[in-house]
Amino acid sequence: MSLLDQRVAETLSGHGVLAQTVPGFQPRQGQTDMAMAVSQTVQEGGQLVVEAGTGTGKTYAYLVPVLLSGQRALVSTATKALQDQLFSRDIPRLVEVLGLPIRVALLKGRSNYLCLHRMEQARHSPESAQPGAQRALAKIETWAQSTRTGDMAELSGLDERSPLWPLVTSTRDNCLGSTCPRYRACHVNLARKEAMAADVVVINHHLFFADLSVRESGVAELLPTVRVTVFDEAHQLNEIGVNFLGQQLSTVQLHELCRDVLATGLQLARGLVDWQALSAQLEKAARDWRLAAGMHRGSVRLRWTGSQPEGVDAFEWADALQAVSAALLQMQNGLDTVSELAPDFQRLADRTRELSQRSALFAQAPNPEGVRWAEVSAQLRLVEAPLDIAQTFQALTRPLPAKRLPPVDTAVISDSSEEQANALFRNALNALDAPVDHVEGLEWLAPRMADQMDSPPSESSPEQGVGQRAWIFTSATLGDEPSLRWFTEPCGLTSAQVMQVSSPFDYAQQAALYVPPHLPRPGDPGHARQVGQLVMEALAILGGRTLVLTTTLNAMRSIGEQLHSQCDAAMNIEVLVQGQSPKRRLMERFREGGGEGRAGCVLVASASFWEGFDVPGDALQLVVIDKLPFPPPGDPLFEARSQRIEQQGKSAFADHALPEAAVSLKQGAGRLIRSETDRGILVVCDNRLSTMSYGRRLVRGLPAMRRLEDHAAFLDALRQLTTDATSGKA
Ligand code: SF4
């Protein structure tokens, strides 16, 4: 056992420093097993995939070995909530308890930071004429004088959805980079510098992929310098990655371009070009293009395998796209005539050119290697994406050749030479086999990189070989069978070491599964109503504490309306439905539960509540799932993946649809038991779980709960929960 292994085992043991200092910390075998596997991967390099059941304590299981190793690390999460929790709570607590001299940085996407250059221009934009805008801008300007980080989260009272937000923050499209007059004081760049100087950097998957595809937020510069990369909530990597690695063109991008061209043109080159006319022409083309996609209810994805999206008039579509291209060309010509006047015009011209290229791409036939679709809501968005992230991740995570990169004279680089810095950066990225097409402002990066590459391996990790990076992927749900193929195949991690750590909870004691035999099949028009009826019956006993997860928005609305109309004042139950208030407020209200003058709660929700909604304690004791969560038929991405699977001689149902349903079901069911003392019932209102042969596979994917065979047993179990809750047993 190595020194690091010994320190990890000791730290997580019953007599270790965590047991002595962290309130409520309990040693868990699963946590120690996972931590030892992480420790080994950190030392030897390679890829480790760990599915860690709820309650394992996976955050400490990877943080303890990573922090104790002294290696430079990147930790990526799917959500900002977990990102904040790691940065503000978990890592500082461990760093303090373990007494480690470690610098930690949080890196967010650029839209979270104040852009000094755009703030100075904001008063000239049409949006600043809106009521209240001048006052809000004055508040931002005052705050700008004192903020050190420029993190917009410090600024109370300005919502991310405010029309002012994009006026005072930047995008990759409108940032001037090293030609910006405020470049040295720029908060985005300062945040990146802090990240480069830190030992552990906490990011999120969106940022990670945004950077892999367009290298715009600093992560690409970080990546060559870190030895350990951890992806928590890794089950979301493929879907997030596919969205970022593809090509996109949207009416939102076109409208934003019009807004920026108009504001910049009127401020810096008024009268030289007819900015209003150029902007109006592109605005109109974008609106007509959206109309050409047809009228649809809500948001839909249109399949696109031919020359235009399915169901769209071919001539109208081609004309509309042609008009967009022509308007972009006119705008580009106008911008080119003034490009010498200010760097802003050069950047706007580049941005217009990029959008022109994308409109040309979408005028051609789809790439047969990927999938293309049109997303139609109030806006229109075209996407051409790879089917998964396998190729990208294979290239990224494969072991590096065991040789050092050439030593670099840091004195020369820090003196001046951006080319040298760029060359150094390219060297490092070449080692990753990644293309470099845009490098900006690397003068601060070069010394750090040279330092990393030319220094001997850290004394705290004498066993490590040069160039062997460690990649750790973890989540509570990564598949429905031991090899975790649902996760590893689309992520290109088929040769990774895989481990499953069981939840420490006693599901047979703590939870029960009920599949109501009397309900109609899910396709039956009366199904949602009967589900609502069953929920009403349960509420009459439990008095709330119920989460209803639906697979469609229609079912959510229908069940929500039924509960609203049938829960009378005497029941004292508050019916919460997703969409009626912001998600955070709904979650807070649900967690408060009933009692002490408050009504009990039932929450009816869809999509985003199936995962990441954590309600420990007796505020949640019943989870009702309306149907087996098979992927929606007709989804272009799902169909394209199914087709590829069939071309490989496999079954689209058994090898794709079923594992997808199993993972979603497991995630939904995972809302029920969140601590050792929780008790609850899972109801799946889809009797295919009992009657179809594939139902057994789905049940096997769930934690081993006891079964309630009939309705009487279900009602008894509900009464028992109520009795236990009243007597304080739960
Ligand atoms: S460099 Fe970009 S983000 Fe920074 S101040 Fe300038 S325009 Fe804004």
Side-chain angles (χ1 to χ4, degrees), residues 110 115-118 170 174-177 180 182-183 186-189:
R110 65 160 66 240
C115 168
L116 295 168
H117 180 62
R118 288 178 61 74
S170 65
N174 59 34
C175 171
L176 301 184
C180 174
R182 302 306 307 271
Y183 186 69
C186 170
H187 291 298
V188 176
N189 293 328

Side-chain angles (χ1 to χ4, degrees), residues 285-300:
R287 275 198 306 274
D288 290 348
W289 184 39
R290 163 63 195 87
L291 289 175
M295 301 305 288
H296 300 274
R297 194 159 170 247
S299 173
V300 293

Side-chain angles (χ1 to χ4, degrees), residues 19 52 76 113 162 239 252 282 294 306 311 436 479 487 514 548 581 643 688 713:
S76 181
Y113 299 98
S162 156
E239 292 314 307
V252 171
L282 184 56
V436 180
F487 173 72
Y514 176 48
V548 183
S581 313
Q643 264 173 20
R688 290 177 292 178

Side-chain angles (χ1 to χ4, degrees), residues 151 591 690:
D151 186 341
R591 284 194 188 106
S690 305

Side-chain angles (χ1 to χ4, degrees), residues 31 34 50 52-53 55-63 82 232-233 474-476:
Q31 184 179 52
M34 175 175 169
V50 188
T56 302
K58 66 177 162 45
T59 310
Y60 279 13
Y62 64 75
L63 282 180
L82 183 56
D232 199 342
E233 298 177 323
T474 186
S475 168

Side-chain angles (χ1 to χ4, degrees), residues 110 115-118 121 169-190 192 215-217 221 342-348 350-351 418 438-444:
R110 65 160 66 240
C115 168
L116 295 168
H117 180 62
R118 288 178 61 74
Q121 294 182 318
T169 58
S170 65
T171 62
R172 182 182 79 94
D173 287 339
N174 59 34
C175 171
L176 301 184
S178 53
T179 60
C180 174
R182 302 306 307 271
Y183 186 69
R184 292 222 164 259
C186 170
H187 291 298
V188 176
N189 293 328
L190 292 175
R192 294 178 187 181
R215 315 207 166 282
E216 75 99 17
S217 58
E221 290 93 329
D344 306 60
F345 288 120
Q346 186 55 53
R347 188 69 198 103
L348 284 167
D350 291 345
R351 189 171 149 193
E418 190 165 310
H438 177 71
V439 180
E440 78 181 30
L442 286 165
E443 64 275 12
W444 50 271

